[in-house]
Each structure stands twice: as structure tokens, then as C-alpha cells.
Amino acid sequence: MKRSTFAFAILLLITGCAVKTETETSETAASANATSETATSETAASETAAKVIEVEEERTIPMEIHVYSAEVPWNTAAIVPVDAMISINEAMKTAIEGDTIVVHEGIYRETLNVSKSNITITANGDDYVLISGNSVVTGFVPYDEMPGVYVADVPDNYKLDFTQVFANGSQQNIARYPNLEIADPMQPLTEGGGYEQLASISKPADSLAATVKFANADFEGLDLAGGIFRGLVGKNREYVIGEIVDTANNSVDFKSISTNDWSKTNEVPASKHKVAFGYVMHKDLIDSPGEWFVEAGKLYYMPEGDIADAQVEMQVRPKILLLNNKDNVTLSNLNFTAGNAQMKNSDNVIIENCTMRYLQPFYTLKGYGMGESKETGFYIENSNNVTINNFYLGHTWGTGFYINGGDSITFKNSIFEDIGWIGTFTAGIYTTADNTRIEDCTFNHNGRYQVRVDKDVKIDIIHSKFQNAMKLGEDAGALQFTSTGKIGPLDLKGSELAYNIVSDLNGIPVFSGNYKKQYVCAFYMEDVNNYTAHHNLIYNLNPDTYKGEEKFERIGGVLYIGPRYNAMDEPVNFYNNTSWNYTRSLNAWGIEIANIEELNKQGVTQTENAGTMTNGHFANNLFSESLFRLIYSTQNLTKTGASTGWADNSHNAWKPLEIPSMEEYFAHMEKVGYVYNPQTNMLFDNETGAENYVDAANGDFRLTENSPAKGAGTPIPGITSSDNPDLGALEGSDYVLSAGAKLKVREFKEIR
């Protein structure tokens, strides 16, 4: 056991007594003009609370260390004991391995740095403990140039590129055109959603400045230079963040921060992106109560009502939790706001009954991939045996959990919602850790993915609910599995995806030259094998939210398998799944590799010259009337799978198809090299198919007694429950209908 040397007075704890050493002072409402934490040294203890003995020795017996907050705005009668410790980090300094730090009710404005192993940090009973990355902002005075706007200096410890602002605990909106007037920041097609469909966006050749025109804007008299333009333009790789360099009546010119076509000298004609969405942000756009902007060390803010009635805070700390190189740590019943979290090289960690909100402010990024946003949420690296239970994570521009390596990461009874406002690749959970398990969890309202995997790992996803993914994009899925950067399929090592609900996917339309689609997918399993998906319920995949007159393809898909150019020989098992109300049941994309012999000489181990699926098993599934599709091409590739151009595909002209017949599709696909081994699957028509379910309109997909799917299935060892199983996800029981977390989101007492 590690020991801690006391070179000061030790407090021998009596019930309720707190240990006190150097403390980092918490900001309080009573002393709100303090904008940075300062360290003080207090060593005297109350004689009525503890007996003080002057010693210099090493403590070896674990004990409780109590910490109290001087800031409890929801309880002005709260009393801090004399000489109480008021910083969690100072308690950590005095702790030894085996100690429990008990944190009492209130706000703690510090980054919790877990600097000891074998330690527990827990709230006192049911106390509401809030660890905040915010500092209080004071000294507001009227800003004469903008009626209703007040200005104050930012706190001295503010060093971030972007921030978040809160008033009386509630998040406020960064100034933008058009205004965000609804609670959901990921509704670009909805009036008041903070986006406008662009009248046009283009860039001339030999120029780095692009022009975006808004249909309804009036920027007359405004100089928005230095502001930010954000555009959902084309495919995700074409989305753009730019710095505004000029302003006209209804348009702005910008130079791209993103590294893509917008940062190059090539022309981007207005015809390329006929449908696109965007907004601009700048101080001079403050025109609605609750809006703010930070510029040149000043916070500009328009309050709702009297500025004196608002406690205004802004994020000053990038991270609010650091847990690095420490083992056997438990965090319990703690609440975090306004900052990210980081865990590296830490084993046997339990995080239970905690919440984390507003992790990441707006940020600029050059690319669009997952790695660009990896530390914008809760980042876990090379850690093992981590259990996250009864956890809530929500409301952030960035990603949720990004897990880089490690083993045995478990999420249970947790909620992940309102994630990925930035619009690029983010996820509720992204993982490369082997033996990841997600059970009884709920994912709701994500800008893009809800779970993403792109490495060979075993991941079990059980009895969880996935709703409203892909709110700021298309051509992806709620569950997104894909091989990247290689030729060869993803090996999921026997993963199980079972008893899950995936529903209510819409996406947004994407126009990029000839590509005009709004495509969402429940199970996006591109080039993935060695897994079993069973007893999943998929419904309401409806990409019909855009009401414009432009013509484009609207697709809501159940399962996409790839395999592109990858030869999949491990099992792809799809058993007893129910799907309803969508446009495409099964989708595949085949690619023949024209230069496979050349690639083999370069070290590519796959000898097959095309993608295959040789070990599929599709049984007892219920589909609804829709299309089944295969697209096929021949290409030259690099050894990492990148295309270098098209090759002659005339000999494959017979392969592509899109048909409504499930039986014909399975037969055709086997000739192409995609073996589904179909057994007792059934397809219901859209007009009368709902009669087979108790109440499909309200999500009750139990089979009616007269349904032909009753008892019509094939028994599958380890999957079905009888010799004559029902078809679909409700086979054996209605367990799938209760998928998702049972967690009750707590009251956040700082919101008042």
C-alpha cells in the first residue's frame, strides 16, 4: 500500500469530521467576482470536531475524507463546517490508497484529477455534487452599440478557443444567423432549428474564397468578418467550416478551415450542391435574449430580463475529469458539466450513477473522421476492465465515448443522447477495445452514429434502444460497422447483437454533383463478418423529412453488408429479426478488383479478386414490402483499398439488380458469390401487413394469433426457444419490447 507522509497536524476523525490541508478555493455566488481558483493553506481544526496531535509519521489505515462546498446556490441555508476541506483535489493529495473521499452537496469548480490508485470518490448519500468546468462571470455593463446587450471581461483563467455560456444553470445560445429557437440543435430542416437552406454556395477557380448566399438573410450594415460559417454541404467529407472574410446584403465570403475542396484552388460551381444547409456565427448577430459571443477577451450577452437576476457562467476548463495511470478507482454519484474527460492506462475502474453534460463547445476541425473528434468527449485509452453503469451523457458538440484500445469495457443501463452537434463523424460510443459490451442502454438524437466500430473486436450489444441517429447526415447507420484502410473484412470474433430496437431514422438530403440521396440504415455492416444478429426490432426508417421539389433518392435500409472488395468467409448470421416501415430490406455493394495480382505482389493476402459472402445464414426474419438491391463495379485499388479508377465492368453487367422479390434476390445473390442460406423468412405487404402485429403503429410487434408467421420458423440451436418457433423478434417472449435503459435522469439542481 502506498503511504502519505503527514508533515502537518493530523485530524483524528470523529463522525462527520473533515480532514483539512491546502485547498483550492471554490468560486461561490457570495464571492462571484473571483474568476480563478486560488490556493490557501489552513491547518487549524475545530477542537470540538477533532483532537489535534502534532506528529510526523505515515498513515497506513484507510479512512473517509469529507469535502464540503461553499457554493450551494439551491440551498442558501447550507452550512460548511469550520475548517472543512472545500476542494476534491486537495482531499486527493492527503489521501492514501484505500481511502474514500466523501463529497458533500454543492458545486466544485475544478478539474477532478484522480491521482491515487485504489481510491473511491463518492457523493455523500444522495447529495447533489456538481463538478464544473465553468467560472462565474461578473462585472457586466451595458454595451452601448447593441441595445439590450451587456459586456464583461472573460475570467483570467479562460484559455479556450471556444466556450459555452450558462445563465442560472441553463445553456445559452451562441449568436448565429439564423437563430436557434427550438431546444433541438440538430434539426436543420425545421424552422427555428438554427439552419437555413442555402440559396447557393460556390467558389471560383484559382481562389480560396467561397461565397454562400442565404435566401432570407439581411446583413446590411453588418461586418461579419472574423465570424464562422458552418455548412452541411454535400457528403460529410465536403462539410465546411470557414472564417468569414467579407459580408454583403444576403451573403458572406469565407476561407475554409476544413481541408477539402473548399480549401483548394479548384472551382466548386453552385450547381454541385443544389441543396445544402448552414449558418453563420458572429458577435453582431446577437439579437435574441439568451444569445452570447466571445470576442477579444470580452463576453457579450443579451439576458432574458434583468442582468442582475442571472448568474452567468462560462466554460474555462477543457477537461473536468482526469483519470490516468491509476487502477482500482470507483467514482460514484458525481455530476460533471462543461468539460471533457480523459482516462488512460487505467484498469479496474467503476463509474456508477454519474452524469456528464455539455462536454464540448463548438470547435473547428480540418477533417471529418472519428479521429478528428476523439478527445471532444470521454476519451478512454489502453484501459481494461472498465464498468460504466447507470451513467448519463448528453448535450455536446463533440462525440460521446471514444475508446482507443484496451479490453473489457462494459456499459450498462446508461443513456447517451443529444450528441454530435458539429455534424461530422461522432458517435455515442466509438470503440476499438476488445470485449466491449453494451447492455440495457438507450441512444437517442445523434448527429451521426450511435455505435461505431472499425477494428477487429468482439462487441456484444444487447437489449438496447437506438433512436434518431443520423440527424445531420446520411449514408450511414445507427449501428455503423465498417472496415477501413485495408483489403480484408472486419472480424467481429463472434459478436452478438440481440434484442435491440432501432427506429426513427431520417437523415438529411445530400446533393453533391450526381450524388443526390437521403440514405439511412439501421444495421450498416459494411465488410463485416463473424457475428450473429438476432431478435432485433427495426422500424420507421423514413427519409421523407425534406419537402423541397428537388428529385433525389430516399432510402431507409434495414441491413447493408458491403462486402465491396472483401472476401467474407466467417459467419454472417441474421436470425429472427422484425423489420417494418422502410424502403429497402437488404443492400449489397460488390467490387471486382481488376489489379488483384499486382496487389498480391505488394503484400495483400486476399487472393479472391472480388468481395464474397460464403457463410451467411438468414432465417426466421420478417421483412416488409420493399426493395432488395445489389450494385456492382470493377475498379483498380491500392493495397489499402482506395480506388484509383474504374476498370472494364462489361462482364459483370448481369450482376446488379434492384427487385422487390426476396426469393429471387437470394437466388441471384448466390450466383454472384453472396450465400445467404435463407430459411423460412417472410415478407409482409405494406397494405395489410400491419394486421400481423398487435399494434405496429405504436411499436407493439407481437404477432397476432392468426398471423402466418406463428410457429412457421426453423429451430436454431441457442437462438430459438422451441421446435416450431415464431418468425421475427418476438419469438419466445416480448423481451425486445423493453429494450433500453431504465435509468431515471436525475434533477440538475443548478438549473433554476
Side-chain angles (χ1 to χ4, degrees):
M1 176 184 294
K2 294 181 181 177
R3 299 181 175 184
S4 177
T5 301
F6 277 60
F8 48 84
I10 290 185
L11 302 182
L12 301 179
L13 291 183
I14 304 174
T15 302
C17 175
V19 177
K20 179 67 177 179
T21 64
E22 288 187 337
T23 64
E24 181 176 86
T25 304
S26 291
E27 298 169 89
T28 69
S31 58
N33 55 354
T35 57
S36 63
E37 296 93 343
T38 60
T40 64
S41 178
E42 301 179 20
T43 57
S46 170
E47 292 183 1
T48 61
K51 180 180 178 182
V52 181
I53 303 176
E54 296 289 343
V55 294
E56 285 195 13
E57 62 181 32
E58 295 176 331
R59 177 165 67 88
T60 61
I61 300 175
M63 66 181 186
E64 286 187 354
I65 303 174
H66 287 254
V67 184
Y68 293 81
S69 174
E71 185 180 358
V72 192
W74 52 87
N75 181 9
T76 56
I79 297 174
V80 179
V82 176
D83 294 313
M85 185 169 288
I86 58 175
S87 165
I88 307 172
N89 285 314
E90 289 304 321
M92 185 72 65
K93 291 178 183 178
T94 70
I96 65 171
E97 293 191 12
D99 278 354
T100 297
I101 298 174
V102 180
V103 189
H104 289 254
E105 185 114 356
I107 299 175
Y108 297 83
R109 299 186 185 277
E110 55 186 314
T111 297
L112 174 55
N113 186 1
V114 182
S115 57
K116 304 285 173 64
S117 290
N118 192 22
I119 202 93
T120 295
I121 307 171
T122 182
N124 177 60
D126 292 329
D127 283 8
Y128 180 64
V129 173
L130 180 66
I131 299 167
S132 175
N134 292 328
S135 284
V136 176
V137 183
T138 60
F140 280 99
V141 297
Y143 181 54
D144 294 336
E145 296 182 26
M146 300 179 71
V149 175
Y150 291 77
V151 61
D153 291 332
V154 301
D156 291 340
N157 57 343
Y158 175 67
K159 307 296 182 186
L160 307 178
D161 293 330
F162 294 92
T163 188
Q164 303 177 87
V165 171
F166 302 81
N168 296 331
S170 294
Q171 191 197 38
Q172 307 295 284
N173 292 327
I174 191 167
R176 67 200 273 178
Y177 172 83
N179 290 342
L180 176 59
E181 299 172 341
I182 61 176
D184 187 346
M186 296 188 289
Q187 292 276 25
L189 307 184
T190 300
E191 185 176 356
Y195 288 81
E196 185 172 301
Q197 184 172 338
L198 305 180
S200 66
I201 182 169
S202 62
K203 185 174 68 66
D206 301 320
S207 174
L208 295 178
T211 299
V212 55
K213 293 183 179 180
F214 294 87
N216 302 309
D218 181 6
F219 299 144
E220 185 175 359
L222 298 179
D223 181 4
L224 303 181
I228 294 290
F229 167 69
R230 177 53 167 153
L232 309 184
V233 181
K235 299 285 289 182
N236 209 273
R237 61 180 175 268
E238 298 170 304
Y239 282 15
V240 62
I241 296 175
E243 180 178 350
I244 297 172
V245 295
D246 200 5
T247 314
N249 288 345
N250 67 341
S251 66
V252 296
D253 291 350
F254 68 89
K255 288 187 176 180
S256 178
I257 296 170
S258 308
T259 302
N260 52 24
D261 283 348
W262 298 104
S263 61
K264 301 174 183 177
T265 57
N266 57 290
E267 179 188 10
V268 182
S271 59
K272 183 173 183 180
H273 303 295
K274 294 291 291 183
V275 175
F277 308 89
Y279 57 85
V280 292
M281 301 188 298
H282 191 276
K283 170 179 68 69
D284 291 351
L285 295 172
I286 299 176
D287 63 358
S288 179
E291 288 191 329
W292 61 270
F293 203 84
V294 170
E295 182 178 272
K298 304 285 186 181
L299 171 61
Y300 299 84
Y301 175 60
M302 179 182 283
E304 296 194 30
D306 193 333
I307 187 68
D309 295 332
Q311 183 186 58
V312 179
E313 307 167 74
M314 63 183 291
Q315 183 182 347
V316 297
R317 301 169 190 85
K319 291 181 170 33
I320 48 176
L321 174 62
L322 295 172
L323 203 172
N324 296 327
N325 305 300
K326 300 295 176 286
D327 301 333
N328 305 306
V329 172
T330 297
L331 305 179
S332 181
N333 201 23
L334 305 175
N335 303 280
F336 299 86
T337 191
N340 299 324
Q342 182 185 89
M343 180 194 304
K344 294 183 179 181
N345 306 311
S346 297
D347 298 342
N348 307 315
V349 174
I350 297 173
I351 302 176
E352 58 185 5
N353 302 310
C354 294
T355 70
M356 190 167 287
R357 295 167 296 137
Y358 304 106
L359 292 82
Q360 175 68 33
F362 179 86
Y363 58 108
T364 61
L365 63 172
K366 293 183 179 298
Y368 65 98
M370 285 299 307
E372 294 277 341
S373 299
K374 68 179 182 180
E375 294 208 46
T376 63
F378 198 137
Y379 178 76
I380 300 177
E381 178 180 296
N382 193 33
S383 297
N384 306 295
N385 299 312
V386 176
T387 299
I388 297 169
N389 189 28
N390 300 332
F391 188 89
Y392 175 87
L393 186 151
H395 315 303
T396 181
W397 286 90
T399 202
F401 279 87
Y402 188 108
I403 306 170
N404 187 3
D407 196 297
S408 300
I409 312 293
T410 298
F411 297 89
K412 190 171 176 62
N413 195 40
S414 296
I415 296 174
F416 310 88
E417 68 177 5
D418 198 23
I419 295 168
W421 303 344
I422 199 67
T424 48
F425 283 19
T426 58
I429 296 174
Y430 167 84
T431 182
T432 66
D434 216 1
N435 298 302
T436 297
R437 185 174 181 87
I438 300 169
E439 184 174 2
D440 296 327
C441 292
T442 293
F443 297 76
N444 199 8
H445 299 289
N446 289 76
R448 199 157 178 89
Y449 320 118
Q450 292 177 320
V451 174
R452 179 177 166 99
V453 173
D454 54 22
K455 297 292 185 293
D456 295 335
V457 299
K458 186 178 191 300
I459 175 171
D460 294 328
I461 304 175
I462 309 296
H463 201 239
S464 293
K465 181 181 285 188
F466 302 87
Q467 294 178 300
N468 299 296
M470 295 303 302
K471 294 184 69 170
L472 295 177
E474 66 88 51
D475 191 17
L479 301 175
Q480 177 85 8
F481 293 68
T482 183
S483 66
T484 58
K486 65 173 184 176
I487 294 177
L490 210 63
D491 182 1
L492 291 189
K493 304 180 180 180
S495 294
E496 182 181 18
L497 316 176
Y499 298 102
N500 302 294
I501 294 175
V502 183
S503 70
D504 302 291
L505 307 184
N506 292 295
I508 63 174
V510 162
F511 279 55
S512 181
N514 292 326
Y515 186 96
K516 301 173 183 179
K517 290 183 183 179
Q518 187 173 348
Y519 169 41
V520 292
C521 185
F523 285 80
Y524 198 103
M525 310 296 287
E526 186 174 65
D527 326 326
V528 177
N529 62 180
N530 205 358
Y531 69 92
T532 298
H534 68 91
H535 292 91
N536 297 291
L537 177 57
I538 302 123
Y539 61 95
N540 293 350
L541 315 180
N542 296 314
D544 60 356
T545 48
Y546 180 71
K547 305 305 180 183
E549 297 179 357
E550 295 85 358
K551 302 298 183 182
F552 61 96
E553 193 173 10
R554 305 172 191 256
I555 307 160
V558 173
L559 172 66
Y560 163 57
I561 65 166
R564 297 186 296 173
Y565 40 75
N566 300 291
M568 304 195 307
D569 297 318
E570 296 293 333
V572 175
N573 298 324
F574 201 73
Y575 300 136
N576 283 92
N577 301 288
T578 294
S579 308
W580 179 254
N581 191 19
Y582 56 91
T583 66
R584 184 181 291 166
S585 291
L586 301 177
N587 188 25
W589 177 17
I591 297 176
E592 181 180 312
I593 308 172
N595 60 328
I596 186 63
E597 294 181 358
E598 175 188 338
L599 295 177
N600 290 150
K601 293 176 182 178
Q602 296 176 19
V604 171
T605 58
Q606 176 177 305
T607 57
E608 294 91 339
N609 73 335
T612 60
M613 181 178 71
T614 62
N615 200 3
H617 303 272
F618 281 60
N620 300 342
N621 298 293
L622 288 175
F623 298 106
S624 61
E625 183 180 358
S626 60
L627 295 174
F628 297 77
R629 187 189 193 204
L630 168 66
I631 59 174
Y632 210 95
S633 63
T634 304
Q635 299 180 29
N636 289 293
L637 304 179
T638 69
K639 63 180 181 180
T640 59
S643 176
T644 60
W646 304 101
D648 177 44
N649 194 52
S650 58
H651 57 294
N652 291 319
W654 62 276
K655 292 181 179 179
L657 85 165
E658 187 169 28
I659 56 175
S661 171
M662 178 174 61
E663 292 78 9
E664 289 183 32
Y665 182 77
F666 285 139
H668 177 85
M669 295 297 278
E670 185 164 357
K671 297 175 183 177
V672 177
Y674 304 152
V675 180
Y676 287 81
N677 287 310
Q679 291 178 282
T680 56
N681 300 287
M682 190 174 291
L683 188 150
F684 292 144
D685 69 79
N686 292 329
E687 291 187 6
T688 63
E691 298 173 0
N692 291 277
Y693 301 118
V694 171
D695 188 3
N698 292 298
D700 188 346
F701 287 88
R702 290 176 295 167
L703 293 173
T704 59
E705 288 302 318
N706 295 325
S707 172
K710 294 284 288 185
T714 299
I716 304 169
I719 301 294
T720 56
S721 60
S722 71
D723 292 336
N724 298 292
D726 294 344
L727 305 185
L730 280 294
E731 184 275 329
S733 74
D734 61 359
Y735 181 54
V736 68
L737 295 181
S738 63
K742 303 301 181 289
L743 179 69
K744 182 179 180 181
V745 180
R746 67 163 306 141
E747 175 191 4
F748 300 109
K749 291 186 178 181
E750 77 277 13
I751 300 175
R752 58 195 189 279

